[in-house]
């Protein structure tokens, strides 16, 4: 049975998963970034009530700007090309960003007594807006039809292995420009307004989340509409459906890049807030604990990504088992596959969440605040590079599958969905969550030295060990596996 047949019980589960991943998951990530960036800005404001208030005003200005920008996202009802649709979306983003900058300047003129201090702060707001737009466009370029799709499809015509190698190469190369943008943004904001400048830039980046989330929703809804129209046999709409499908893939890739970019700048601001809270002025790279913290932090995103990959594989197996049972019994429903994916996904996320939330406590208490700060640095750098590589590789694979129907592109699309929809997004959440947990417990560590209260660090470590054993016994043993039949391989 083909994967897109409506008799396939897993087909509806795929459509539900598209909405959960592209809308609900991304929306939760955006709102987490907004709240975290505001908290970091408030801490780094140093008690200045005007600077504290500015972060809230900028966030509110982003909501108003997004509401206005919505009315400028318009395209012709018939005959619009992919470029027309992309232009309409980008036009709405540009108008939203421009209006946010104008409102921010007005806020500074009203609330700041010192014009110099106000304009340095608003300069960071402007830099933040350019940061978000540039990160999104850089991602869109590396996953675009001209750069990625054409070369991928040429490689796919030769062999599936060349296709996947090419995709990984494109994904790895795609981190270069975003990395340069992140470094330039951080240095510029530090020069203009110090640590607070980085935090208010992070607020600026994510303040227009309404517009960006709407674009992500457009991508998910469009993908579902394309599948439904194709299944309904509406051949007269094939051309318009193809345009919508290609546009949705491009917009989704841009959204993933923006989400990762906003997570990185937010995590950096949270790291700076943590260091300010515990009184760390300089990280001593010659210290063994700092080096150890860096290595541990750089390793965690890989462990987290591995767990998410395995979780997706187990959830897919659960769906396949349920689908096989339904097909054998000739009783086709959609609830079983959706419930199977939901239950397994929640079970498999216990350990990744446990490790991420306990790691800052283990390192910070067992070794000390310096090691924890180093761990955050390592996790941000490693998580950004790995997450961007996987996300952009997945986006390129998914985008390429819209234009050429080869065996390699079909497999690449399936793998790509896991890379950009699950692992890449999860890594963006990882780096923020570790920084948030560290900032939350930072008041406990303010007066500690290295190894000062080391014995308490075995408590969260023990929680991780016990949690691993419980999950292994409860969910990993005696798991029913799908039957590898010819019908299964086609499905």
């Amino acid at each position: 049975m083909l994967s897109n047949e409506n008799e396939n019980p897993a087909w509806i589960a795929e459509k539900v998963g598209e909405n959960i991943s592209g809308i609900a998951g991304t929306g939760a990530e955006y709102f987490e970034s907004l709240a975290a960036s505001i908290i970091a800005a408030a801490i780094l404001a140093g008690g200045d009530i005007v600077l504290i208030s500015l972060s809230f005003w900028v966030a509110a200005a982003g909501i108003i700007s997004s509401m206005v920008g919505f009315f400028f996202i318009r395209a012709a009802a018939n005959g619009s090309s992919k470029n027309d649709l992309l232009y309409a979306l980008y036009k709405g983003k540009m108008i939203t960003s421009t209006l946010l900058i104008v409102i921010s300047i007005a806020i500074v003129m009203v609330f700041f007594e010192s014009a110099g201090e106000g304009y340095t702060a608003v300069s960071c707001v402007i830099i933040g807006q350019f940061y978000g737009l540039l990160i999104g466009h850089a991602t869109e370029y590396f996953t675009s039809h001209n750069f990625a799709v054409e070369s991928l499809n040429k490689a796919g015509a030769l062999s599936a292995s060349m296709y996947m190698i090419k995709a990984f190469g494109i994904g790895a190369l795609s981190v270069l420009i975003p990395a340069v943008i992140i470094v330039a943004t951080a240095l510029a904001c530090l020069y203009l307004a110090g640590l607070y400048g980085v935090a208010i830039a992070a607020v600026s980046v994510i303040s227009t989340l309404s517009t960006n989330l709407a674009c992500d929703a457009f991508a998910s809804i469009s993908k579902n509409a394309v599948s439904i129209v194709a299944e309904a046999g509406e051949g007269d709409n094939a051309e318009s459906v193809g345009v919508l499908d290609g546009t949705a893939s491009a917009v989704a890739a841009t959204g993933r890049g923006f989400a990762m970019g906003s997570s990185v700048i937010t995590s950096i601001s949270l790291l700076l807030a943590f260091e300010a809270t515990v009184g760390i002025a300089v990280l001593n790279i010659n210290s063994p604990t700092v080096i150890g913290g860096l290595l541990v932090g750089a390793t965690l995103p890989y462990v987290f990504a591995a767990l998410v990959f395995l979780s997706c594989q187990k959830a897919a197996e659960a769906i396949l088992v349920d689908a096989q049972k339904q097909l054998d019994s000739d009783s086709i429903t959609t609830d079983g596959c959706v419930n199977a994916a939901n239950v397994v996904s929640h079970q498999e996320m216990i350990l990744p969440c446990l490790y991420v939330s306990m790691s800052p406590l283990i390192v910070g208490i067992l070794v000390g605040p310096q090691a924890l700060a180093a761990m955050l640095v390592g996790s941000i750098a490693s998580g950004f590079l790995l997450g961007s590589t996987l996300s952009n590789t997945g986006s390129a694979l998914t985008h390429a599958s819209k234009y050429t129907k080869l065996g390699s592109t079909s497999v690449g699309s399936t793998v790509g969905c896991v890379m950009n929809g699950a692992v890449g997004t999860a890594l963006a959440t990882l780096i923020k969550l570790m920084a948030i947990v560290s900032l939350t417990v930072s008041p406990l560590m303010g007066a500690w030295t290295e190894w000062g209260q080391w014995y308490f660090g075995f408590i969260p470590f023990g929680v991780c060990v016990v949690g691993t054993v419980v999950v292994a016994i409860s969910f990993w043993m005696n798991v029913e596996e799908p039957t590898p039949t010819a019908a299964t391989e086609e499905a």
Side-chain angles (χ1 to χ4, degrees), residues 317-408:
E317 281 190 357
I319 293 175
L320 198 53
V321 168
D322 185 84
Q324 286 179 337
K325 289 180 179 179
Q326 294 188 44
L327 293 173
D328 292 340
S329 63
D330 293 328
S331 176
I332 307 299
T333 64
T334 59
D335 294 343
C337 290
V338 174
N339 290 336
N342 181 40
V343 171
V344 174
S345 297
H346 280 82
Q347 292 173 353
E348 293 298 321
M349 282 296 102
I350 293 175
L351 280 188
C353 293
L354 183 64
Y355 293 161
V356 170
S357 57
M358 292 293 107
S359 295
L361 297 176
I362 295 172
V363 174
I365 298 175
L366 190 62
V367 184
Q370 284 264 346
L372 178 52
M375 187 186 77
L376 294 179
V377 173
S379 66
I380 292 172
S382 176
F384 160 66
L385 296 174
L386 179 61
S388 294
T389 298
L390 293 175
S391 183
N392 294 341
T393 300
S395 296
L397 289 170
T398 305
H399 198 184
S401 68
K402 308 300 180 183
Y403 295 91
T404 303
K405 299 302 180 183
L406 301 171
S408 55

Side-chain angles (χ1 to χ4, degrees), residues 287-322:
S287 171
T289 57
V290 171
I291 295 175
L294 281 170
L295 293 176
V296 170
T299 304
L300 284 174
Y302 286 86
V303 175
F304 190 79
L307 292 173
V308 176
F309 268 121
L310 295 174
S311 300
C312 291
Q313 181 261 334
K314 291 178 182 178
E317 281 190 357
I319 293 175
L320 198 53
V321 168
D322 185 84

Side-chain angles (χ1 to χ4, degrees), residues 120-481:
T120 55
V122 82
S123 296
C124 295
V125 173
I126 296 172
I127 291 173
Q129 284 302 300
F130 277 102
Y131 170 88
L133 293 172
L134 291 174
I135 286 282
H137 282 296
T139 305
E140 194 276 332
Y141 172 75
F142 279 102
T143 58
S144 65
H145 184 276
N146 293 334
F147 183 84
V149 173
E150 291 183 355
S151 60
L152 277 176
N153 288 336
K154 289 179 182 178
L158 298 174
S159 70
S161 58
M162 291 185 182
Y163 182 77
M164 297 301 295
I165 291 171
K166 183 79 171 183
F168 274 107
I170 291 174
L173 182 63
S174 67
V175 305
L176 176 60
I177 294 179
V180 172
I181 295 172
I182 291 170
V183 172
T185 299
L187 292 178
C189 292
L190 284 169
Y191 175 77
L192 290 171
L195 302 181
Y196 178 80
V198 178
I200 197 62
V203 176
S204 173
V205 171
I206 199 63
S207 62
T208 57
L209 67 89
S210 300
T211 299
N212 290 284
L213 182 57
C215 292
D216 291 330
F218 162 81
S220 297
I221 294 169
S222 297
K223 291 178 182 179
N224 279 350
V226 168
S227 299
I228 293 170
V229 170
E231 182 61 26
E234 297 289 338
D236 296 338
N237 298 317
E239 184 177 352
S240 59
V241 164
V243 170
L244 195 62
D245 200 10
T247 306
S249 297
V251 172
T254 304
R256 304 291 184 195
F258 177 84
M260 177 58 73
S262 63
S263 296
V264 171
I265 194 70
T266 299
S267 300
I268 292 174
S269 64
L270 289 169
L271 168 63
L272 296 175
F274 168 78
E275 291 179 337
T277 303
V278 299
I280 297 176
V282 178
L283 281 177
N284 182 12
I285 195 63
N286 293 322
S287 171
T289 57
V290 171
I291 295 175
L294 281 170
L295 293 176
V296 170
T299 304
L300 284 174
Y302 286 86
V303 175
F304 190 79
L307 292 173
V308 176
F309 268 121
L310 295 174
S311 300
C312 291
Q313 181 261 334
K314 291 178 182 178
E317 281 190 357
I319 293 175
L320 198 53
V321 168
D322 185 84
Q324 286 179 337
K325 289 180 179 179
Q326 294 188 44
L327 293 173
D328 292 340
S329 63
D330 293 328
S331 176
I332 307 299
T333 64
T334 59
D335 294 343
C337 290
V338 174
N339 290 336
N342 181 40
V343 171
V344 174
S345 297
H346 280 82
Q347 292 173 353
E348 293 298 321
M349 282 296 102
I350 293 175
L351 280 188
C353 293
L354 183 64
Y355 293 161
V356 170
S357 57
M358 292 293 107
S359 295
L361 297 176
I362 295 172
V363 174
I365 298 175
L366 190 62
V367 184
Q370 284 264 346
L372 178 52
M375 187 186 77
L376 294 179
V377 173
S379 66
I380 292 172
S382 176
F384 160 66
L385 296 174
L386 179 61
S388 294
T389 298
L390 293 175
S391 183
N392 294 341
T393 300
S395 296
L397 289 170
T398 305
H399 198 184
S401 68
K402 308 300 180 183
Y403 295 91
T404 303
K405 299 302 180 183
L406 301 171
S408 55
T409 58
S410 177
V411 174
S413 176
T414 303
V415 176
C417 286
V418 177
M419 287 182 173
N420 62 14
V423 184
T425 304
L427 287 172
T429 303
L430 160 77
I431 58 179
K432 284 184 299 186
L433 184 57
M434 290 180 61
I436 290 171
V437 172
S438 301
L439 182 59
T440 302
V441 300
S442 60
L444 299 176
M445 304 179 185
W448 292 2
T449 59
E450 292 186 1
W451 310 94
Q453 307 287 337
W454 62 271
Y455 40 86
F456 288 112
F458 287 106
I459 297 176
F461 179 79
V463 171
C464 288
V465 173
V466 173
T468 302
V469 173
V470 171
V471 169
I473 295 174
S474 302
F475 305 134
W476 293 354
M477 295 183 178
N478 301 320
V479 176
E480 185 176 3
E481 297 183 355

Side-chain angles (χ1 to χ4, degrees), residues 13-28:
E14 179 190 2
K15 304 302 109 185
V16 174
E18 192 71 58
N19 288 334
I20 293 174
S21 172
I23 302 176
T26 305

